[in-house]
Amino acid sequence: MSEFIDFDQSVYPFPVKPALLSSDKKAFYRERIKSLLIEKNAVIVAHYYTDSEIQALAEETGGCVADSLEMARFGARHPASTLLVAGVRFMGETAKILSPEKNVLMPTLDAQCSLDIGCPEEEFSRFCDEHPDRTVVVYANTSAAVKARADWVVTSSIAVELIEHLDSLGEKIIWAPDRHLGRYVQKQTGADILCWQGACIVHDEFKTQSLEKMKALYPEAAVLVHPESPQAIVDLADAVGSTSQLIKAAQTLPNPSMIVATDKGIFYKMQQACPEKSLYIAPTAGEGATCRTCAHCPWMAMNGLQAIAEALEGNAEHHQIHVSEQLRKKALLPLNKMLDFAESLK
Ligand code: 13P
Ligand code: SF4
């Protein structure tokens, strides 16, 4: 038996898009960042959803471009004393929790995530207290305080495996915050899940009828879907998975083209993985309509070259991630359990 509880969603303060840079300015900041990385013994840890120029720079300078699980692993293992995390705030916090001895900088501390915003610690903690018989599993897309309240942290790349494991031990589960991923995992495993009702504003925007029309237009294309998308979109998928799993699926499926229902930032690495294939963005409401994201996370879009250079230049106050030692120690336990579990799957 599984239940899905409805909560009011927060109203999101939407970020202003960063100003576009001229090609001269871009070249200037790229060179500036390269020398600052050496000077500060720093490395870029970037998510697939950041702009392609940031992903390219991370690759060129020995950093990583990855999903949220691999970003956490890479940051913890890399010998650099400073991690420049290009992504959203929970990714910076995770890096700091795992590597307290390192400086963790972000291009902006205002890069949020609707899942994190929609799961405030106090409300969530009360919810958990009301169900003391349940194991608390939270998605990585949460604050350090919410992680500290959890028994397990998980990312989408190992969510099904972890819930399968807990279910086999007879555990009943609280899942937070993403309702679509929670439902997907519940369907895959049959586990007893009580689900928080958060949503990702990017994946929530994909449109079923338009996707059906697009499938009819490109019958040879495979549909790739991130499980933060609504059920009706998942139902149309040929492959469902985390960002890295979708890139792998694009490579291994025999189809000559892919319709991709996740943030369009992924196209940079996906196209590298299969240069011969055509990649299409799954339909949203479009830039001019009510869509506020248009297959690109507005907070990921805040990671610009200029902001990276400023973060490395040393204005720590506006760029440095802090997590209190007390909170860090608590949040570290479920995060380490996630990393150990991920390791055991290899
Ligand atoms: P991944 O864990 O697949 O990288 O996803 C993170 C995320 O924010 C998806 O919207
Ligand atoms: Fe959060 Fe969605 Fe942006 Fe990922 S794409 S960081 S889940 S708002």
Side-chain angles (χ1 to χ4, degrees), residues 49 88 90-91 112-115 139 141 200-203 228 263 297-300:
Y49 294 167
V88 294
F90 77 82
M91 294 168 178
Q112 281 282 3
C113 166
S114 61
L115 290 169
Y139 196 26
N141 301 37
C200 161
I201 52 162
V202 177
H203 293 88
E228 287 171 16
D263 187 293
C297 175
W299 294 292
M300 288 283 182

Side-chain angles (χ1 to χ4, degrees), residues 210-260:
S210 310
L211 180 53
E212 278 165 349
K213 283 184 195 153
M214 200 165 172
K215 264 172 76 95
L217 205 61
Y218 300 103
E220 75 296 344
V223 177
L224 309 182
V225 175
H226 194 285
E228 287 171 16
S229 307
Q231 183 63 48
I233 299 290
V234 170
D235 288 343
L236 297 173
D238 294 291
V240 182
S242 71
T243 44
S244 46
Q245 289 163 347
L246 295 184
I247 292 173
K248 202 164 277 170
Q251 216 172 6
T252 50
L253 285 170
N255 309 59
S257 54
M258 307 286 148
I259 302 173
V260 185

Side-chain angles (χ1 to χ4, degrees), residues 63-184:
C64 89
V65 181
D67 67 6
S68 53
L69 177 63
E70 197 45 44
M71 285 173 78
R73 283 184 176 140
F74 180 92
R77 288 178 189 160
H78 199 280
S81 58
T82 294
L83 305 176
L84 187 291
V85 177
V88 294
R89 186 151 176 149
F90 77 82
M91 294 168 178
E93 283 188 352
T94 298
K96 188 67 187 175
I97 293 165
L98 293 172
S99 308
E101 74 292 355
K102 293 179 186 167
N103 275 326
V104 178
L105 302 175
M106 295 197 70
T108 166
L109 299 181
D110 293 331
Q112 281 282 3
C113 166
S114 61
L115 290 169
D116 185 352
I117 296 171
C119 190
E121 188 269 332
E122 268 187 32
E123 218 174 319
F124 181 63
S125 208
R126 259 199 314 275
F127 176 64
C128 297
D129 291 344
E130 284 162 16
H131 304 280
D133 56 327
R134 287 179 179 265
T135 301
V136 179
V137 181
V138 302
Y139 196 26
N141 301 37
T142 46
S143 65
V146 165
K147 289 186 176 76
R149 181 63 183 79
D151 299 303
W152 288 88
V153 175
V154 74
T155 70
S156 52
S157 60
I158 54 167
V160 170
E161 288 86 346
L162 177 65
I163 299 301
E164 227 160 39
H165 168 67
L166 296 178
D167 185 46
S168 75
L169 300 176
E171 296 186 24
K172 295 196 294 177
I173 288 146
I174 282 181
W175 171 275
D178 189 72
R179 62 180 171 214
H180 297 308
L181 184 55
R183 184 173 290 118
Y184 174 73

